[in-house]
């Protein structure tokens, strides 16, 4: 996943955007970028690395203007090139820069359409560049001359919704006009808006999570609705319109399980409270499978699972201990590219306190088990520290299906629970026992916190792809593409040339 932010202010926004990206750094640690607007020109800097490493003083000074957008990205398969860092830029119409969180499920078809029908060239393999060019084409279709008004923008977003499939939360800046933000009609990826009233006037911020707003003194206004578009002009005037025909809200369950910060509120549900609820329901499952005395102590795997582990221990009247200490200068292992790197980083990230394990039957609570790499290493660390018995509990259900909406787990072969029973997964991670959350209990954990929610996007747990366009053939193509060697820039350009020649021949 990624984290995005857009700001319209009455003073320079470069520092605001930088600080917002720091608050969203947990959403992506591979690349970062900022684009600002001054007059009719953009200034942009982006590169691979953490926010603090990408932006030096000289880079910040080169980003003038009172409007801008930013993005942090995490590494997905086939997207580690610095050329694919965001924001992306296109010069016509008007000049647009765009940052995107999500994944388009019909990106391949759109690439063909863009050249054959729209005569637009793509320079990377990123679906975000596809989305930018679709938006640019639709704006061009509904405008003439130099005029651009909110109504025209909203018509273009409506047309985009009809062409694009998948998940997308977007912030885009249009040179000389303002900031445009919109969300896919299923509301899969989060997006919210906040306001700050200063002596110089009203400022707006749109971001992936509420923590970015609140951490910078902005008052949370509301979530951007599924299918809705918001436009804020350079004078700080805000316009909004529903641009989808039948929008429904289906927030991603994995945001609540793992990705989002616990102090964020997504679509009316506190992430922290949902994780407490997951611990409560998991405690019921543990109670049904173990007798009193089977477990001596409960320990979380820092950090995402801590609320669930605390609540579970309290409900079962068990001791709660911090048995693992986290090195906060190591990135989130789920987001690291490659199994070997993830495996090595686990022991660099976590260190066991031997006295907490020695001679004890330990219940380890993690937020989820995806590939199993981290879980296996942690179980081994617990044993090496003297644990008599290691029981592993996951606050999320088994991850059995690929996620195609923007999380880096798109192939079945990478998922430890795919094609395996709970007992087989338990043996794979070398635990003495394994307890998974139930799918219904996970969903209830979120619904309990916000009863207004009616649906959750939980495809990686239940196999139900909410957009209705994900087939087994699509998943097979994804898996083949992921397991194939990554083409270099020359290969991509050669493929684009062949596509262009074939289109002309048609």
């Amino acid at each position: 996943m990624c984290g995005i932010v857009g700001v319209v202010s009455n003073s320079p926004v470069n520092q605001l955007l930088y600080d917002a990206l720091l608050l969203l750094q947990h959403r992506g640690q591979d690349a970062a970028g900022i684009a600002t607007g001054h007059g009719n020109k953009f200034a942009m800097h982006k590169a691979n690395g953490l926010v603090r490493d990408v932006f030096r003083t000289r880079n910040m000074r080169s980003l003038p203007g009172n409007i801008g957008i930013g993005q942090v990205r995490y590494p997905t398969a086939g997207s580690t090139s610095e050329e694919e860092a965001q924001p992306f830029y296109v010069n016509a119409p008007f000049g647009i820069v765009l940052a995107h969180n999500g994944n388009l499920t019909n990106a391949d078809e759109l690439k063909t359409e863009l050249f054959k029908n729209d005569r637009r060239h793509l320079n990377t393999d990123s679906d975000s560049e596809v989305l930018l060019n679709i938006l640019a084409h639709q704006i061009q279709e509904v405008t003439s001359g130099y005029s651009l008004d909110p109504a025209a923008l909203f018509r273009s977003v409506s047309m985009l919704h009809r062409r694009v499939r998948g998940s997308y939360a977007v912030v885009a800046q249009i040179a000389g006009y303002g900031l445009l933000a919109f969300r896919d009609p299923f509301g899969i990826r989060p997006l919210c808006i906040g306001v700050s009233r200063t002596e110089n006037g009203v400022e707006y911020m749109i971001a992936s999570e509420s923590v970015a707003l609140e951490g910078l003194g902005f008052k949370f206004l509301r979530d951007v609705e599924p299918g809705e578009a918001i436009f804020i002009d350079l004078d700080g005037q805000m316009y909004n319109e529903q641009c989808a025909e039948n929008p429904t809200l289906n927030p991603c369950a994995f945001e609540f399980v793992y990705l989002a910060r616990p102090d964020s509120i997504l679509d009316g549900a506190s992430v922290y409270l949902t994780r407490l609820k997951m611990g409560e329901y998991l405690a019921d499952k543990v109670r049904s499978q173990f007798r009193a005395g089977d477990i001596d102590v409960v320990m979380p795997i820092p950090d995402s699972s801590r609320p669930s582990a605390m609540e579970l221990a309290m409900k079962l009247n068990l001791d709660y201990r911090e048995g693992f200490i986290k090195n906060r200068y190591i990135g989130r292992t789920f987001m690291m590219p490659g199994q070997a790197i993830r495996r090595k980083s686990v022991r660099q990230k976590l260190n066991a306190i031997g006295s907490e394990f020695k001679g004890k039957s330990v219940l380890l609570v993690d937020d989820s088990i995806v590939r199993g790499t981290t879980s296996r290493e942690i179980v081994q660390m617990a044993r090496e520290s003297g644990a008599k018995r290691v029981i592993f509990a996951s606050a999320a259900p088994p991850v059995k299906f690929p996620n195609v909406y923007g999380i880096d787990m798109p192939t079945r072969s990478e998922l430890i629970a795919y094609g395996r029973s709970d007992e087989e997964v338990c043996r794979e991670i070398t635990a003495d026992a394994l307890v998974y959350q139930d799918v219904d209990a996970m969903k209830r954990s979120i619904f309990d916190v916000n009863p207004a929610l009616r649906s959750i996007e939980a495809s990686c747990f239940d196999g139900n792809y909410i957009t209705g366009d994900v087939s087994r053939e699509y998943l097979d193509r994804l898996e083949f593409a992921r397991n194939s060697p990554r083409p270099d820039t020359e290969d991509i350009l050669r493929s684009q040339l062949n596509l262009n020649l074939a289109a002309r021949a048609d």
Side-chain angles (χ1 to χ4, degrees):
M1 295 191 193
C2 305
I4 60 174
V5 60
V7 177
V8 177
S9 178
N10 298 293
S11 57
V13 296
N14 53 355
Q15 188 65 49
L16 259 181
L17 290 166
Y18 176 90
D19 293 341
L21 293 183
L22 285 178
L23 290 167
L24 295 171
Q25 185 77 85
H26 61 283
R27 297 187 67 86
Q29 300 163 4
D30 178 55
I34 289 175
T36 58
H38 52 110
N40 289 319
K41 294 183 179 179
F42 294 127
M44 182 160 59
H45 178 70
K46 57 181 182 177
N48 284 349
L50 298 173
V51 174
R52 66 170 184 258
D53 299 322
V54 169
F55 298 101
R56 302 296 185 180
T57 301
R58 65 181 180 275
N59 308 126
M60 296 297 288
R61 287 174 177 165
S62 69
L63 295 168
N66 297 353
I67 179 173
I69 63 173
Q71 196 233 32
V72 287
R73 184 191 72 178
Y74 86 128
T76 55
S79 66
T80 56
S81 167
E82 194 165 288
E83 294 176 352
E84 295 185 4
Q86 296 185 41
F88 279 107
Y89 164 74
V90 69
N91 67 350
F94 305 106
I96 306 170
V97 286
L98 176 144
H100 161 222
N101 174 30
N103 184 64
L104 308 187
T105 53
N106 64 335
D108 289 341
E109 298 95 306
L110 291 173
K111 288 175 186 178
T112 302
E113 287 180 18
L114 280 169
F115 180 77
K116 285 188 174 182
N117 303 334
D118 303 343
R119 293 179 293 175
R120 286 184 170 269
H121 173 262
L122 300 174
N123 204 46
T124 72
D125 237 11
S126 171
D127 64 334
S128 300
E129 190 186 12
V130 172
L131 189 59
L132 169 61
N133 277 273
I134 294 290
L135 175 64
H137 176 76
Q138 301 307 159
I139 292 176
Q140 189 164 292
E141 287 285 290
V142 301
T143 57
S144 60
Y146 300 102
S147 63
L148 180 64
D149 56 39
L153 283 174
F154 296 149
R155 285 199 303 275
S156 66
V157 174
S158 295
M159 295 164 71
L160 178 146
H161 285 328
R162 289 195 286 270
R163 293 183 67 178
V164 174
R165 298 287 180 269
S167 66
Y168 48 95
V170 173
V171 288
Q173 186 183 167
I174 303 169
Y177 288 94
L179 177 71
L180 174 68
F182 55 92
R183 195 175 178 191
D184 70 75
F186 293 94
I188 299 171
R189 299 269 69 84
L191 198 63
C192 60
I193 182 167
V195 63
S196 175
R197 303 185 188 280
T198 70
E199 58 185 18
N200 296 323
V202 179
E203 300 177 338
Y204 289 98
M205 178 180 287
I206 297 177
S208 296
E209 293 185 34
S210 62
V211 67
L213 311 177
E214 294 163 352
L216 295 171
F218 283 75
K219 180 183 177 182
F220 176 83
L221 278 182
R222 62 180 178 86
D223 295 289
V224 178
E225 295 294 324
E228 182 186 20
I230 292 175
F231 178 67
I232 304 168
D233 65 23
L234 299 179
D235 296 322
Q237 184 68 39
M238 186 176 81
Y239 308 84
N240 69 288
E241 187 171 303
Q242 178 54 253
C243 298
E245 293 178 359
N246 298 295
T248 59
L249 180 57
N250 307 269
C252 175
F254 212 72
E255 293 274 359
F256 297 97
V257 167
Y258 171 80
L259 193 79
R261 268 182 46 161
D263 46 342
S264 282
I265 297 175
L266 306 181
D267 293 306
S270 161
V271 175
Y272 178 74
L273 292 180
T274 61
R275 290 177 185 172
L276 287 180
K277 280 290 183 181
M278 289 176 197
E280 184 178 327
Y281 285 117
L282 187 60
D284 293 338
K285 187 85 174 283
V286 171
R287 186 184 289 112
S288 70
Q289 296 185 15
F290 297 92
R291 298 171 300 178
D294 285 349
I295 300 167
D296 298 318
V297 64
V298 176
M299 297 182 187
I301 310 303
D303 281 317
S304 304
S305 66
R306 188 171 282 120
S308 296
M310 288 170 47
E311 189 71 6
L312 181 148
M314 186 183 74
K315 291 293 180 183
L316 297 180
N317 197 27
L318 292 170
D319 288 341
Y320 172 89
R321 290 288 187 272
E322 295 281 347
F324 292 100
I325 301 302
K326 181 180 179 181
N327 179 350
R328 300 189 180 280
Y329 301 98
I330 298 290
R332 302 181 84 175
T333 50
F334 171 72
M335 295 184 171
M336 290 183 173
Q339 287 283 69
I341 296 175
R342 278 188 287 268
R343 189 177 299 114
K344 180 180 178 182
S345 70
V346 172
R347 295 197 178 233
Q348 294 175 338
K349 184 177 85 167
L350 296 176
N351 191 43
I353 301 175
S355 60
E356 293 294 343
F357 291 90
K358 195 169 183 179
K360 296 178 182 177
S361 177
V362 180
L363 174 61
L364 302 179
V365 180
D366 208 349
D367 52 75
S368 59
I369 306 171
V370 181
R371 299 172 179 90
T373 309
T374 299
S375 306
R376 188 180 301 111
E377 291 294 321
I378 286 170
V379 170
Q380 289 302 314
M381 291 169 67
R383 293 197 192 284
E384 292 165 8
S385 298
K388 178 178 66 179
R389 190 180 187 207
V390 181
I391 303 166
F392 207 96
S394 169
V399 179
K400 293 186 174 183
F401 305 94
N403 184 290
V404 299
Y405 299 129
I407 301 176
D408 185 24
M409 48 168 136
T411 66
R412 291 156 287 191
S413 60
E414 288 183 290
L415 306 176
I416 193 170
Y418 177 74
R420 291 187 178 96
S421 66
D422 292 358
E423 292 75 18
E424 289 170 327
V425 173
C426 184
R427 287 196 294 271
E428 285 289 322
I429 66 172
T430 70
D432 293 299
L434 172 65
V435 182
Y436 272 117
Q437 184 82 271
D438 294 327
V439 175
D440 287 343
M442 177 198 66
K443 291 182 178 180
R444 285 200 306 274
S445 300
I446 303 169
F447 296 148
D448 286 352
V449 176
N450 181 10
L453 287 173
R454 293 289 181 267
S455 178
I456 294 290
E457 198 295 302
S459 57
C460 57
F461 303 112
D462 62 15
N464 177 29
Y465 294 96
I466 200 74
T467 55
D469 63 333
V470 178
S471 63
R472 177 172 289 275
E473 291 73 26
Y474 174 85
L475 296 176
D476 290 341
R477 290 198 305 271
L478 256 186
E479 190 154 345
F480 177 80
R482 184 180 176 91
N483 294 330
S484 299
R486 168 68 174 166
D488 57 23
T489 302
E490 185 178 341
D491 292 332
I492 294 171
L493 293 176
R494 188 181 298 114
S495 297
Q496 182 72 38
L497 177 61
N498 291 338
L499 177 64
N500 295 355
L501 293 173
R504 290 191 181 105
D506 291 344

